Structure formats: structure tokens, C-alpha cells
Amino acid sequence: MRLFSKKYCKLIIATLSVSFLLVGCGNDNSGKNLFKNSEETTDSETETTVASTEEKTTTESITTTETTEAKAPYSDSLQIDVAEGSASTTMFEMDTVIGITVYGENAEKNVRETADLIDAMEGIFSTERTDSELYYLNQNGKAAVSDDLLDVVSKGQEFYEETDGAFNIALYPLISEWGFMNLSSEEHHVPADEKIQELLALAKPDAAKILELPETDWPNVGPNGTGPDEDGLAIMYGIEYELDGMKLDLGGIAKGYTADKAADYLINEEDVTGAMVSLGGNIMFVGSKPEGKPWKVGIQNPVGEVGDYVAVISVDPLTSGDDILPMSVVTAGTYERYFEVDGKRYHHIIDPSTGYPADTGILSLTIVSSNSTEADALSTALFVKGYDYAVDMWRSGKYDFDMVIIDSDLKIYYTEGLEGHFTTDLSSEKISY
């Protein structure tokens, strides 16, 4: 079923400093658009959402032989800006600036809880934080893991199969060789082709095996387990790498998973009337702004300066009766993490079939979906595979999403669910079913 053939109208677009974000709308199965016919475009009195592509429900920790003192909540270190009926903050996690805004009673509490949830996810998925679960797994090649890490790795393996290998969570060694794991331009270089081929041999997501083993078989588990088997030992889930030197990088899916977790939390808080969580190239909205004001979103010119918009979209509140509805917008783009050698630009989105930056004539590709995890993975995979594959995937109905593509000629292509809510001075073309 199409995102835009659902019961509720959901359309959101969020502006990024390096790419734009956009979200879809819906109606009932009759295909009749529920959006009001409107010629409204941007105006100076309405806020425009801006974010950047660059980039508890508390997860129960794996029992280890080491004990640590209880720490103060992460949100205690943040400055929370509180106004009547709203609160907001910014933080740096997941290699990007994250913004959180919540409307409603107890907004400050909800901002703090959301920030702590995001920090907890960072403590699971970070490749660089030495206390994270993924860091331990990458360093040791074997570890008992939380349900969240297990879930994301499983989803990553699924998307690898569903996208013909275009989405690959096992590219860490290769991406690191290119220098894209570090934002310092001094680390960037074009690897020798022989090195690229060597590291591609490690990029096998299915070589990360998910196992059930006794607690004594996991190097990071102490004497206390989750429940004894017949021999008195706890059987625990974990992951073991079959290839020496392989490492996982979940940066292409972890933000989406985190956005979904944040949405679940915020939707279930009765006092939340609306919220926006911006995780770099992934922006999640629930509900509406005060007094039902629309979310205004500008689309960044991928070859222009920050704030140079090529389109603006006005979005109706995301509510249905008393229910708050979520929507995420995720963009993959070429124009923030890149370096140049001899006049040629090399960006960070690596094509797993070649080991080099993807070259499909696309500058940015945005996925609009109520499932942020899917949107995150698809934005990368479809960028890598190119326009024709992206359109075929959208038409197949395998996943419920809409999209916007900007090509190297600055022509914009958008799926037909966005028609009537997309204004631009550039050449544009609707993609039909």
C-alpha cells in the first residue's frame, strides 16, 4: 500500500544544510487527495525547519564482569530552552548536531527523556565511543549484545538482500580507508585499487552471525545471566564475525532506528501535542506546531550555499482526531562529506559493488516514510542504485514511501503523492505509478 493511499494525510519536508528532506501524505484507498487545494508558498512569518545531513526507552545492558558507578542522566548536561508550552535543545551525538523541540505540557521533561534515549542509542551504535556495544563487538569480533543492536544488525542484513547489496552495513574498513570515518580532511585520500578490493572482501554483512550461546561463551558477559538453562547457564544472544578484520558501521540505519524509538516515546506521552527531532539527515515529526500551524520546510540547493532553497513545502499538522501521527524524512546527499583531488570530488556514499563513491548522476535523494528505519536504509541504497532502480522500487510497493530526487542538472523528480504541495522555480517532473 502506498504512503499516499492511506487513511491519513502525512506530508513533511525538512530542509537540510546539505540536502533536503521531505515527507509524504496520504488519503483513503479511493486515491482522492485529502490535502486542501492551496497556492500557499513560503512566507516570512512562518518558521522553516532546517537541519543538516551530516552528519531510554533504556536498553538493558549486557551483564559484564565490570561494574560502573551510576551516572547522572545525559540530559543533565544540556541547556534546555523552555518557553510557555514548549521546550527545545541541541546536542552532538551520532556524528551530527541533533535538535529536539517538543510542544505541550511537561515539554521540558519530554525533551530530556528524548535526549537520554538518543544518548542511550549512541551508547549502542557508535563506532568510535569506546564504551559502546558496537565498538566492543568491532574490536573483539564476538559479543553478547542488546536487543536493539541485534535488531538493527538483522534489519541491515535484510536490507542488504532486498536492495541487491546496495545497502551494506559491513563497509567500515573501506569507509575508514577513504577517511570518511573521520571528519578531518587530513585523513582523506583515494585508496589504491588493490586495497579497495582487499577491503571489499570483508564487506559481507551475512558474515556477522547471530548466535544463541551459553553466557560463558561470550567474552563480555559476567557470571549473572538472563535466565538459566538446564545446566544453570544463561543462554544469550550475540554476534560473531566469521571474517577476521571485518567491522560493522550502522551509520546508514541507526539514526532511522533511533528516530523510530523517539517517535514511539513521544506519541505515547499524552501531554505531547507536537515534536520535531532532527538527527542530521533524518528528521522526524509528530503532531503539530501550536495552534495547528503547518511545518514549513525548505529544500536546499545541493550546489548552493546553506539557506539557498530550491523549493518550499507547507505541511498540514500530522494529527487525526486525538491521535498524534509520526513521519520521517531522510536524505542522502553528496555535498557535505567529501574531498577533492585534482579537481575531482569524492563523496562518502560508497557503492559496495565498486568500492568507490556512487556515481549515478544523483546529488540528493530523499525518502519520505512513516518508518524511519526503512527510510534511512532506502535513502542510501536507492542513491547508490540510481534513478531507474529507485523508481522501480517505489512502483513495486515493496516498501511504503515516497521520494524526491535532484540530479546533477538540478532537475527535480518527485513521486506523485507530493503533487500540489511542492513548489519550485527549477525544472521538475512528476513520477507516476
Side-chain angles (χ1 to χ4, degrees):
M1 183 196 294
R2 289 283 174 213
L3 202 106
F4 295 104
S5 61
K6 286 185 173 178
K7 180 178 179 182
Y8 304 120
C9 182
K10 309 176 186 178
L11 170 70
I12 299 180
I13 302 219
T15 305
L16 308 198
S17 66
V18 270
S19 63
F20 69 68
L21 295 177
L22 174 114
V23 176
C25 102
N27 53 27
D28 60 19
N29 291 330
S30 68
K32 185 177 180 181
N33 200 315
L34 296 184
F35 273 124
K36 300 175 183 177
N37 290 326
S38 172
E39 297 179 357
E40 180 185 15
T41 57
T42 185
D43 63 84
S44 60
E45 297 178 356
T46 306
E47 295 180 20
T48 300
T49 300
V50 181
S52 168
T53 54
E54 275 310 314
E55 10 165 305
K56 162 167 178 198
T57 354
T58 304
T59 301
E60 184 176 351
S61 299
I62 298 299
T63 305
T64 66
T65 54
E66 298 178 1
T67 58
T68 56
E69 295 182 4
K71 297 188 299 184
Y74 170 80
S75 58
D76 284 359
S77 66
L78 298 177
Q79 176 180 328
I80 311 295
D81 297 321
V82 181
E84 184 176 357
S86 70
S88 62
T89 194
T90 58
M91 52 197 279
F92 189 86
E93 295 267 1
M94 297 186 169
D95 292 327
T96 193
V97 176
I98 294 173
I100 305 170
T101 299
V102 177
Y103 298 104
E105 296 182 13
N106 299 315
E108 181 180 357
K109 174 188 79 73
N110 291 317
V111 166
R112 292 188 181 280
E113 292 288 342
T114 303
D116 289 336
L117 182 154
I118 293 170
D119 180 64
M121 295 299 101
E122 168 80 345
I124 296 171
F125 303 125
S126 174
T127 58
E128 305 302 319
R129 217 170 99 171
T130 57
D131 63 341
S132 81
E133 287 188 34
L134 183 57
Y135 184 91
Y136 183 93
L137 175 61
N138 279 342
Q139 296 302 309
N140 293 274
K142 182 178 180 180
V145 299
S146 66
D147 288 346
D148 287 304
L149 185 55
L150 199 71
D151 195 17
V152 171
V153 171
S154 296
K155 291 180 186 298
Q157 293 172 333
E158 173 189 332
F159 283 116
Y160 177 75
E161 297 296 329
E162 295 293 337
T163 63
D164 301 323
F167 184 77
N168 190 318
I169 59 173
L171 287 173
Y172 182 105
L174 181 58
I175 294 172
S176 182
E177 183 68 22
W178 277 92
F180 288 121
M181 298 306 298
N182 191 316
L183 293 180
S184 171
S185 61
E186 296 177 0
E187 301 289 335
H188 296 152
H189 71 281
V190 180
D193 187 64
E194 294 80 4
K195 187 66 174 179
I196 289 175
Q197 299 309 313
E198 173 189 334
L199 296 178
L200 275 179
L202 300 176
K204 310 295 183 185
D206 291 343
K209 294 298 182 182
I210 296 173
L211 305 172
E212 294 179 78
L213 297 173
E215 58 181 319
T216 51
D217 287 357
W218 298 113
N220 60 324
V221 179
N224 298 317
T226 56
D229 65 3
E230 59 184 11
D231 297 319
L233 294 175
I235 300 298
M236 306 188 74
Y237 280 98
I239 297 172
E240 183 174 15
Y241 295 161
E242 291 188 328
L243 299 175
D244 290 339
M246 80 171 292
K247 293 183 179 182
L248 299 184
D249 170 24
L250 302 176
I253 192 171
K255 291 187 183 73
Y257 184 86
T258 299
D260 283 335
K261 299 279 278 192
D264 288 344
Y265 162 72
L266 291 164
I267 288 171
N268 287 309
E269 292 296 299
E270 294 182 357
D271 51 356
V272 174
T273 61
M276 180 192 74
V277 179
S278 171
L279 298 101
N282 186 313
I283 300 182
M284 183 275 296
F285 298 92
V286 297
S288 66
K289 296 170 71 175
E291 301 176 357
K293 291 181 180 179
W295 304 100
K296 282 267 186 175
V297 187
I299 297 174
Q300 173 71 32
N301 183 344
V303 297
E305 299 295 326
V306 174
D308 176 15
Y309 307 134
V310 296
V312 174
I313 290 185
S314 179
V315 183
D316 290 332
L318 299 179
T319 57
S320 176
D322 295 329
D323 295 329
I324 294 179
L325 305 176
M327 185 59 70
S328 279
V329 183
V330 184
T331 293
T334 63
Y335 28 90
E336 194 152 284
R337 290 196 180 192
Y338 68 89
F339 65 96
E340 294 184 357
V341 175
D342 297 329
K344 182 174 181 179
R345 177 177 293 193
Y346 297 88
H347 62 79
H348 74 290
I349 304 176
I350 301 299
D351 182 346
S353 70
T354 67
Y356 288 86
D359 183 12
T360 57
I362 294 176
L363 295 183
S364 74
L365 187 148
T366 296
I367 298 294
V368 179
S369 174
S370 59
N371 187 316
S372 192
T373 306
E374 290 183 1
D376 213 358
L378 287 173
S379 65
T380 298
L382 301 189
F383 183 100
V384 167
K385 297 294 280 188
Y387 177 88
D388 290 339
Y389 185 96
V391 172
D392 287 345
M393 178 68 82
W394 174 74
R395 286 176 175 155
S396 76
K398 181 181 293 186
Y399 297 102
D400 193 8
F401 71 96
D402 274 87
M403 65 181 174
V404 173
I405 297 171
I406 300 180
D407 70 12
S408 56
D409 295 323
L410 290 185
K411 183 171 182 178
I412 299 177
Y413 300 87
Y414 61 95
T415 49
E416 66 179 36
L418 301 176
E419 188 173 16
H421 309 280
F422 186 85
T423 59
T424 180
D425 292 331
L426 298 182
S427 174
S428 62
E429 181 178 322
K430 179 179 68 176
I431 303 170
S432 299
Y433 294 123

